[in-house]
Amino acid sequence: MSGWERIRTSRSRLGGSDSRSPSSRTVRLGRVQPQAPGHRTIYCNDREANLPVRFKGNSISTTKYNVFTFLPKGLFEQAGPVHPITNVVPLSLVLFVSLVKEAFEDWKRLQNDKSINNALVDVLLDQKWERIPWKKLQVGDIVKVRQDGFFPADILFLAGTNPDGVCYIETANLDGETNLKIRKALEKTWDYSTPEKASEFKGEVQCEQPNNSLYTFTGNLIIQKQTLPLSPNQILLRGCSLRNTEYIVGAVIFTGHETKVMMNAMNVPSKRSTLERKLDKLILALFGCLFLMCLIGAIASGIFINRKYYYLGLGASVENQFNPSNRFLVALLTMFTLITLYSTIIPISLYVSIEMIKFIQSTQFINKDLHMYHAETNTPALARTSNLNEELGQVEYIFSDKTGTLTRNLMEFFKCSIGGEVYGTGITEIEKGGAERSGIKLEEVHKSSNAIVEKGFNFDDPRLMRGAWRNEPDPDACKEFFRCLAICHTVLPEGDESPEKVTYQAASPDEEALVTAAKNFGFFFYRRTPTTIYVRESHVEKMGKVQDVTYEILNVLEFNSTRKRQSVVCRFPDGRLVLYCKGADSVIYERLGDVNGDLKKKTREHLEQFGSAGLRTLCLAYRDLSTDLYEHWNEKFIQAKSSLRDREKKLDEVAEIIEKDLVLIGCTAIEDKLQEGVPSCIETLSQAGIKIWVLTGDKMETAINIAYACNLINNDMKQFIISSETDAFREVEERGDQVEIARFIKDSVSADLKKYQEEAQQYLHTISGPKLALVIDGKCLMYALDPNLRGMLLNLSLNCTSVVCCRVSPLQKAQVTSLVKKGARKITLSIGDGANDVSMIQAAHVGIGISGLEGMQAVMASDFAIAQFRFLADLLLVHGRWSYLRICKVVTYFFYKNLTFTLTQFWFTFQTGFSGQRFYDDWFQSLYNVIFTALPVIIVGLFDQDVSESLSKKHPELYKEGIRDSFFKWRVVGIWAFFSFYQSLVFYHFITASSSSAQNSSGKMFGLWDVSTMAFTCVVVTVNLRLLMLCNSITRWHYISVAGSILAWFIFIFVYSGVMTPNDRQENVFFVIYVLMSTFYFYLAVLLVPVAALLGDFIYQGVQRWFFPYDYQIIQEMYRHEPDQSSRSELLDIRNDLTPDEARSYAISQLPREKSKHTGFAFDSPGYESFFASQQGVYAPQKAWDVARRASMRSGTRTGKKK
């Protein structure tokens, strides 16, 4: 099945399918499942009978395009607005590169689909197993799947090699959980495991239509005239794999795009950043401006043209464009002339520059940032697309998975309470965090020298280890505690039967941690058969004695989400009958006998203590049974187990009879470790104005615990909980009427939403009201996403600081993300690590994959990949913010320089009778954007920094400017446009007015080409100098690029006006620059005109910085006297892993280099100093002469002095 192994590095699982399902089942936001009415009937093992129904084939396709849609769809997604024909070459180049990239990505998807569709599976044909490709599988086929194989479709489990008709499956591709789940075949079908037997199987399955609900299934199997109810327990979903079972046999129910996993998939989206969309609007505005300028010129030319201007020679034979007899035609033709003349207003090279800047930003800055490099796994950050860099600087909502994203998905036995005594000395990260917030300093706890450290076991207390428990006040309780851990579970041991080499396969990491704990306490569970458990017990009878004990397992009362407990009835070798039970404290406490008085109270305190430390707790209890009582109960149990109707309900009722009068032993506390730095990262992101939602498939209690641990929820918050785990809901569910259940949940969810919405409004109107948190589970969410309730859910959740959704399916994760993205129109980011997060990652504006333990599906579907959640702070607050700031500057500057240049041409039109005469030479116009002003703006897009990396993280509030989109508002564009207008008037009128009386060295007046070359020189110089005023930090690259651009213009004009070729129009400019430069006027104009042009900007920037500063400008002022705290010193020291060349370049990078100088006209405002001094509690009166004194200080002494 190599194809399925490759799936781990593919985008296809829950990643974009192109779900070609009929429109009646289209998966839309908030559709209640199951979506299609009626049911389907499948004839197992009978291909002919199934033919008339025409079920879907098992072939899948996850590509974004096909042969016919590639060009139209690809072009539509790549192209911004239409560009004028003059700029076809650079445009087609950009489009070509983008299309090649898209085609390559889609080709990889196609290869992946092929390898999956051609994977082989055993199918029963003519009484024997034959291997056929997955794509040829049909509904109703009987298939055999071997150990570690993936299920090729949704299958009804008939028989397997394990006793009791049980098989173990891993669902990591569906819900991100790596622990094993148990599935159980119906007893009637256990025998069909051989080809001979299986070929006799002729059942009929009546079940629901294909839908996207992963955790539900309703149907019946009709076999030998008996109708057997089917539940999700008998269904093996495509995408899961078989574990610890040699092989299973099953019947295919849903295939291809109708399997539940593919119904959860979403189309691969095409993502463009919000800023790019806004840029498209700006370009359209420029088109509007272009059209307006051309219209003014065209109408004016139609009015102006007149034969009374005899010196223009407008005789009868004049060409159409200047024929006064047909003014309309004159206007029309002038319109076309002016369009080509003014086309420079459209910044075609902007798209090329931005693509280039973003590409370098992502490959050189994000991918190579050592702060986002994870040394343990040797994983750097990876930008998988460069389209969305600036989007990272504007994120307002983060949707995060829990297991593996916030936590490490490693459960460790940490503490316990036995017989009212607490054991275990460690301090959890959550306790440390809580103490820090309260300002208490905790003592470091040192581990004892012989403490055992093992995966799943992080417990240290010499009182219990190596048989020391025998000396405790209540050794019998300790013994029962350890036995309960060793016996009451469904774990399978694998490998050698020695404590060092055994590995446990458990249905949950918690269960594995508990059995590992029992092993380390000296009760080593090493072998299991369907009816017995073997435990190697140490120190029980006397210290140092080891004995193997066999316990007969008589009944297992399984764990489920309503029971919240698991029990085992076992017989000791001496005939003693005991029921061991472990479960949630709430359910165990309800079933305790009267003998537990004081112990109950003490243990309750310990449970609360563990809970507040963020640990996952379970209570352990036991009950001794008499033989009569047991025999009487066992008859009822067997009856319930074999009943066809309401089996689960009857089993639960029978369990209630025996699970009472329990004796409490104690409780366990397990830590699911948070990833390093998660709480502080979340706190930083919250300060930055980002709201974080956790969407998880976990239980509500676990999710809330983790939310507390991550600082998402605290005790000061008002919590709104909408849950389906209520008594009223269980009552309705027991009646079993699906329609009534649906109506009941919908009504109760609607009532809850209304009530909480009103409460939230009241809190919001009070000044110091508490922060709000919403917790909702998957069942309620399914109805809350209904179109009628969706608005209320959105309003309520937007008013909450934190939202936790538990027990949600992959599709619901995507729906919640889309709800905020489309409903609230906020910029969203999703982060996850498993295949179950792919839909959510693709639904958000920005998707981030964590390259963790769970394969690569999330990474393959993401836009950026990082190794740890804490790196999100660097990615957003540093790279995101910088990228946003830089791209905004690049766009607005491009807009300014093109508008300024085109407007000078526009003013000239007024003096030429609107004839369309060019002011500038053709080559000037063509090379203006490509050579004379191209490089400096790219340097700004790459190197501009308003504050350093460390300050960006120290003051996360700076990020809010990106959320508010402060640097690309229409107001900002308007200010740039105003100064463009002002500067173009200065260039045009200053030069034309001053040159009218100027003369060259031979006494002649200046002509058109002299004046326009003079004006063009001033434009190039000014526009490049204006760029330096725009920078927050100036490096040598800025100087080189600006000086280089101005120099390039002079070199070009020297060569261009020095060369004359026959029969061309360039004799116009012949020798112009030499003539100009021989006059004093030229030097005066080049000095004064740029100063006059930039004076307005200079005053505006000063006033703005002094009186209306941006947040970053305030931070600049705070740290102005400190040398640039570049974080080079904080870089990770990974020289050991470097090659000699890398080590050398690393060493060079450590050398002191040119300090970046902050510019931006810090007028040393005395107001700043007193403001920040008062914040520090220092009185600093303002002095009028401070300004003059500080302005006259030399910069050297300023930077040297530390605050």
Side-chain angles (χ1 to χ4, degrees), residues 1017-1046:
T1017 306
C1018 291
V1019 170
V1020 170
V1021 170
T1022 308
V1023 164
N1024 278 302
L1025 290 177
R1026 177 68 185 87
L1027 185 90
L1028 289 179
M1029 290 170 65
L1030 171 83
C1031 301
N1032 281 306
S1033 54
I1034 296 184
T1035 64
R1036 59 173 176 274
W1037 297 110
H1038 289 75
Y1039 292 132
I1040 290 169
S1041 61
V1042 167
S1045 297
I1046 296 173

Side-chain angles (χ1 to χ4, degrees), residues 722-790:
I722 303 178
S723 167
S724 59
E725 298 283 320
T726 59
D727 296 335
F729 174 66
R730 283 195 198 107
E731 267 175 42
V732 178
E733 207 169 31
E734 276 165 15
R735 290 186 217 131
D737 180 352
Q738 294 295 329
V739 179
E740 191 190 348
I741 292 174
R743 202 192 69 246
F744 177 79
I745 304 190
K746 193 168 178 182
D747 293 347
S748 65
V749 168
S750 173
D752 282 349
L753 284 172
K754 275 203 184 89
K755 183 177 82 181
Y756 291 149
Q757 180 64 23
E758 284 162 14
E759 273 187 58
Q761 290 305 326
Q762 287 168 4
Y763 286 122
L764 290 172
H765 290 314
T766 58
I767 296 170
S768 58
K771 287 186 170 177
L772 310 176
L774 171 69
V775 182
I776 184 168
D777 72 2
K779 270 186 186 156
C780 296
L781 188 63
M782 187 162 101
Y783 293 93
L785 287 170
D786 183 85
N788 306 326
L789 300 179
R790 205 187 293 172

Side-chain angles (χ1 to χ4, degrees), residues 411-416 456-457 481-482 484-486 488-489 491 504 508-521 523 566 582 616-618 620 667-670:
M411 308 292 172
E412 292 181 335
F413 187 92
F414 196 69
K415 286 188 180 182
C416 60
F457 190 73
F481 182 87
F482 301 145
C484 183
L485 293 184
C488 183
H489 55 74
V491 175
Y504 292 122
S508 73
D510 302 66
E511 189 120 275
E512 185 184 339
L514 294 174
V515 178
T516 306
K519 175 181 84 174
N520 288 316
F521 289 135
F523 286 67
Q566 175 188 31
K582 69 175 186 203
R616 303 152 68 100
T617 55
L618 279 178
L620 309 187
C667 64
T668 63
I670 284 179

Side-chain angles (χ1 to χ4, degrees), residues 260-272:
K260 289 185 182 274
V261 66
M262 295 307 285
M263 299 281 286
N264 262 283
M266 296 181 68
N267 286 337
V268 182
S270 299
K271 294 186 179 180
R272 291 186 71 213

Side-chain angles (χ1 to χ4, degrees), residues 267-283:
N267 286 337
V268 182
S270 299
K271 294 186 179 180
R272 291 186 71 213
S273 72
T274 319
L275 194 137
E276 265 184 42
R277 291 201 189 91
K278 199 162 176 184
L279 172 59
D280 290 347
K281 289 181 188 159
L282 179 60
I283 300 287

Side-chain angles (χ1 to χ4, degrees), residues 126-142:
D126 306 327
Q127 296 202 357
K128 61 180 188 291
W129 298 120
E130 287 197 16
R131 288 179 81 67
I132 66 167
W134 281 19
K135 61 184 177 191
K136 295 197 173 157
L137 210 54
Q138 293 179 16
V139 172
D141 282 353
I142 304 292

Side-chain angles (χ1 to χ4, degrees), residues 408-589:
R408 299 180 193 178
N409 205 9
L410 297 172
M411 308 292 172
E412 292 181 335
F413 187 92
F414 196 69
K415 286 188 180 182
C416 60
S417 158
I418 307 173
E421 192 72 37
V422 173
Y423 298 94
T425 55
I427 296 175
T428 64
E429 293 171 7
I430 291 125
E431 284 175 297
K432 285 179 197 159
E436 269 174 35
R437 283 197 293 281
S438 325
I440 305 163
K441 185 143 179 55
L442 289 175
E443 288 293 312
E444 268 299 310
V445 177
H446 296 290
K447 286 210 162 190
S448 53
S449 54
N450 52 3
I452 299 172
V453 176
E454 182 186 346
K455 184 190 170 213
F457 190 73
N458 182 19
F459 177 88
D460 180 31
D461 195 328
R463 292 178 297 167
L464 288 189
M465 307 306 289
R466 297 178 178 77
W469 54 268
R470 291 175 62 91
N471 307 321
E472 284 304 292
D474 195 347
D476 289 339
C478 293
K479 201 161 29 180
E480 293 298 351
F481 182 87
F482 301 145
R483 277 197 182 128
C484 183
L485 293 184
I487 297 170
C488 183
H489 55 74
T490 53
V491 175
L492 294 174
E494 278 188 346
D496 286 4
E497 293 178 359
S498 69
E500 295 77 33
K501 296 190 178 165
V502 75
T503 54
Y504 292 122
Q505 287 290 351
S508 73
D510 302 66
E511 189 120 275
E512 185 184 339
L514 294 174
V515 178
T516 306
K519 175 181 84 174
N520 288 316
F521 289 135
F523 286 67
F524 169 39
F525 155 65
Y526 62 91
R527 191 189 311 157
R528 133 174 271 146
T529 70
T531 54
T532 52
I533 271 184
Y534 297 82
V535 179
R536 189 166 296 154
E537 299 183 354
S538 313
H539 321 295
V540 174
E541 286 173 19
K542 65 169 193 266
M543 277 299 279
K545 185 176 180 191
V546 179
Q547 60 199 42
D548 287 357
V549 186
T550 308
Y551 294 95
E552 190 182 348
I553 300 298
L554 302 171
N555 310 83
V556 177
L557 305 173
E558 289 177 5
F559 181 93
N560 63 36
S561 58
T562 45
R563 279 169 45 76
K564 292 191 181 165
R565 63 191 182 279
Q566 175 188 31
S567 301
V568 167
V569 179
C570 65
R571 183 181 279 130
F572 281 46
D574 61 7
R576 175 187 171 202
L577 281 172
V578 182
L579 168 107
Y580 282 115
C581 181
K582 69 175 186 203
D585 49 7
S586 52
V587 286
I588 300 284
Y589 266 62

